Amino acid sequence: MAAFWQQRGRRQENGGLGSVIDGLGSVFDVLLANARLVLGVSGAAVLAIATLAVKRLIDRATSPRDEGDPKAEQKSLEESWQDLALIKTTPKPPKKQRREDLSKPLLSPARPVMPGEAPDPRGCSVPLGAPQVESSPVRCLTLQEKLLSHSSRVAVPEIQASLVLQLARSICTQLQNFLRSKCPELPFGRFFLSGALLDGLEVLAAEHIHLMLPVVLDTGLWSLISGEDTVVRNPQYWMIRRIDLGYFPRGRSPWDRFIVGRYLSSSVLNETLHKLLVASINWPAIGGLLGCAIYPVVASRELKLEVKHDQVELSITLFPVVEMEDKVLLAVPPEGLVENLWLESFSRAEVSRVKELDAGDSGARQLCLRILNSVCRSQPSLHKLGGSPVTNVILHLSDTASDWAEESLADRFQQVLEELVASLEKGVLLSYFNPKINLFSGLLEEEIDEMGFVLYRAISEPELLL
């Protein structure tokens, strides 16, 4: 009690805020005292739960923060998710019965008893002597069974996957032939497809695929510079610098036309290819040949094609790619003034590592990854967690959790959710292949809060995601 009055005294000293809080508390007490008379038992319970959550938020806002506790910020975030869960899961009061509903019969009228027939004591119309079928008890599925059932439902049909791959390969061949005839001086390598569908990790529908355009560079004329050593200070990006211009002047390399400030510009290369896709290629003729309609996306910053077939609709994204010094760099510059940056991609290494681990212990990592990818695609607030972030969590967890057998799928699924929530609380998820990279660095605070709240609830009820 003494502690309570001391805390109240401190609130009164803070510019009269304590008196305002006490006034609100008195109002809440009066509401709760009369809620049962006005709202009934269910309405009073709803009001009590909501009032408790609001009081928690007010007390936390007015109580002084312990400056010596380094985890105060993290505790505050977790308690906020708890209060949000308390408010959002509050049961709704039962619907008030209308007067006209009272006139509706609750049961269908019983069949009249015919002369010489004994009435059915249960009021049903089952004839006498008919065999009675015992109703089987409702069987509650475990999380393991629900996950396995979910994985079978989200699998892409083989017919659809085969048709999508056939269309994408045909478009890939047509585009390669066009660039060789239109720009024979540019040494592109052999185009190839990439993405979750090729890796066996696609879920729900085969709607997206990547078309990679290899840019072949002479290693004697180009070198790599890490993004950490540039003004952007970002380890996710690299710059490709033209070297030895004194001995090998501009024009020696066919890619010199895309140089900006002695660096190979990913933006200029993308803009050139975008003009070719939109204005130079006869897509109606190619689509008629392949039995589909192909439309280049004009307004997108990415190089993208939309394909519409009678049976499927497909989005193809083109990526110029440079493979140099064991690095895979994509022409995906960040938004802003810097246009010479190339994004380092680890997707090929990540998927290869997951498959390698599964092959070593007959594990279910790929199965777990497919389920999580389907969850992220079906939940709008979790879209940015799918793919690389979830894959990296599974790879990090594989270093500590050794049992990845299919029988342990439910335990590993639950553990991945816990690791994701812990990473979101800190706002940090380190890349498995480069610990200097934070995969959450591009997320907004609101996005982190929303994803954290959804996954925090799912830890106690994983079925909410399925």
Side-chain angles (χ1 to χ4, degrees):
M1 183 63 70
F4 170 78
W5 287 111
Q6 291 175 4
Q7 183 179 3
R8 182 174 181 179
R10 286 195 300 268
R11 291 178 178 175
Q12 289 176 349
E13 293 174 1
N14 290 332
L17 180 59
S19 60
V20 176
I21 299 302
D22 292 339
L24 289 176
S26 301
V27 173
F28 292 149
D29 293 337
V30 173
L31 287 176
L32 291 177
N34 295 276
R36 187 167 183 176
L37 295 175
V38 179
L39 302 177
V41 178
S42 300
V46 174
L47 180 59
I49 293 175
T51 304
L52 176 60
V54 174
K55 278 188 173 182
R56 286 184 184 177
L57 294 175
I58 293 174
D59 289 341
R60 189 177 304 119
T62 57
S63 60
R65 179 175 297 176
D66 186 3
E67 297 181 355
D69 185 4
K71 297 184 178 180
E73 195 71 24
Q74 179 176 340
K75 292 179 182 177
S76 172
L77 180 59
E78 182 175 354
E79 290 170 353
S80 299
W81 292 345
Q82 291 175 351
D83 292 337
L84 284 173
L86 180 63
I87 295 174
K88 289 197 174 186
T89 58
T90 301
K92 296 183 178 179
K95 182 180 179 182
K96 185 176 180 181
Q97 194 172 25
R98 297 178 300 176
R99 179 175 299 176
E100 56 267 27
D101 294 337
L102 299 176
S103 62
K104 296 181 180 179
L106 297 179
L107 298 174
S108 58
R111 183 174 60 87
V113 180
M114 302 300 295
E117 179 182 359
D120 190 349
R122 295 170 297 175
C124 63
S125 59
V126 179
L128 293 177
Q132 301 295 325
V133 178
E134 296 183 359
S135 60
S136 58
V138 179
R139 181 170 176 265
C140 296
L141 297 178
T142 64
L143 177 59
Q144 176 82 8
E145 292 170 330
K146 291 180 180 179
L147 290 173
L148 293 176
S149 175
H150 182 80
S151 66
S152 61
R153 293 197 307 270
V154 301
V156 178
E158 293 185 5
I159 297 178
Q160 184 187 76
S162 177
L163 178 58
V164 165
L165 288 177
Q166 180 180 353
L167 283 173
R169 290 191 176 103
S170 299
I171 294 174
C172 177
T173 301
Q174 294 292 331
L175 183 59
Q176 174 112 47
N177 293 337
F178 170 81
L179 288 179
R180 284 179 176 174
S181 61
K182 183 71 175 180
C183 309
E185 72 281 2
L186 297 179
F188 283 105
R190 185 175 182 83
F191 295 2
F192 63 93
L193 302 178
S194 180
L197 184 61
L198 276 297
D199 298 328
L201 300 174
E202 187 63 273
V203 290
L204 298 178
E207 300 173 338
H208 308 278
I209 203 165
H210 297 161
L211 176 54
M212 316 304 285
L213 284 60
V215 175
V216 181
L217 298 178
D218 185 348
T219 56
L221 300 177
W222 304 90
S223 65
L224 299 183
I225 299 177
S226 173
E228 288 184 290
D229 301 329
T230 65
V231 293
V232 296
R233 301 295 180 186
N234 192 333
Q236 284 185 287
Y237 292 92
W238 292 76
M239 301 183 75
I240 305 176
R241 184 183 181 186
R242 179 69 157 83
I243 59 175
D244 292 336
L245 285 175
Y247 295 97
F248 305 103
R250 188 184 291 258
R252 181 67 176 266
S253 172
W255 302 105
D256 285 345
R257 56 187 285 194
F258 304 105
I259 288 179
V260 175
R262 297 189 66 176
Y263 296 96
L264 182 61
S265 174
S266 54
S267 296
V268 175
L269 179 58
N270 279 337
E271 290 171 2
T272 301
L273 292 174
H274 189 273
K275 292 177 182 178
L276 291 175
L277 291 177
V278 172
S280 300
I281 302 179
N282 190 353
W283 290 116
I286 295 177
L289 181 64
L290 302 179
C292 62
I294 306 174
Y295 306 97
V297 180
V298 179
S300 175
R301 293 180 69 248
E302 299 178 313
L303 304 174
K304 186 173 292 187
L305 302 173
E306 298 292 343
V307 182
K308 294 186 179 181
H309 189 268
D310 292 339
Q311 302 179 34
V312 295
E313 291 188 5
L314 174 64
S315 175
I316 301 179
T317 306
L318 283 66
F319 291 101
V321 55
V322 171
E323 297 190 35
M324 188 175 177
E325 299 180 9
D326 298 328
K327 304 287 189 302
V328 179
L329 308 178
L330 303 180
V332 185
E335 295 185 6
L337 299 178
V338 182
E339 59 181 11
N340 298 332
L341 296 177
W342 293 70
L343 176 66
E344 184 173 8
S345 172
F346 298 98
S347 59
R348 184 192 306 173
E350 291 165 357
V351 173
S352 298
R353 180 58 178 165
V354 169
K355 292 183 177 181
E356 179 185 350
L357 291 172
D358 273 353
D361 58 9
S362 301
R365 296 172 185 82
Q366 296 175 76
L367 177 59
C368 185
L369 183 56
R370 280 194 293 269
I371 295 174
L372 289 165
N373 281 339
S374 70
V375 167
C376 293
R377 285 189 61 178
S378 59
Q379 296 275 348
S381 60
L382 301 179
H383 279 179
K384 293 188 177 181
L385 280 183
S388 183
V390 171
T391 306
N392 277 267
V393 171
I394 291 178
L395 289 176
H396 284 301
L397 198 56
S398 296
D399 292 339
T400 56
S402 57
D403 185 10
W404 281 89
E406 187 174 299
E407 294 76 13
S408 303
L409 176 61
D411 294 335
R412 298 289 81 80
F413 181 83
Q414 186 91 16
Q415 200 170 359
V416 170
L417 296 182
E418 294 172 358
E419 291 294 325
L420 282 171
V421 170
S423 299
L424 288 169
E425 285 179 356
K426 297 181 294 185
V428 176
L429 175 58
L430 300 182
S431 170
Y432 184 81
F433 288 100
N434 188 352
K436 297 179 181 180
I437 297 176
N438 177 17
L439 299 178
F440 288 165
S441 61
L443 296 179
L444 301 176
E445 184 177 353
E446 294 78 9
E447 294 173 334
I448 291 179
D449 288 343
E450 181 66 20
M451 290 187 290
F453 170 69
V454 172
L455 294 178
Y456 181 81
R457 291 184 59 194
I459 288 179
S460 58
E461 297 181 77
E463 294 82 0
L464 294 174
L465 300 177
L466 303 179

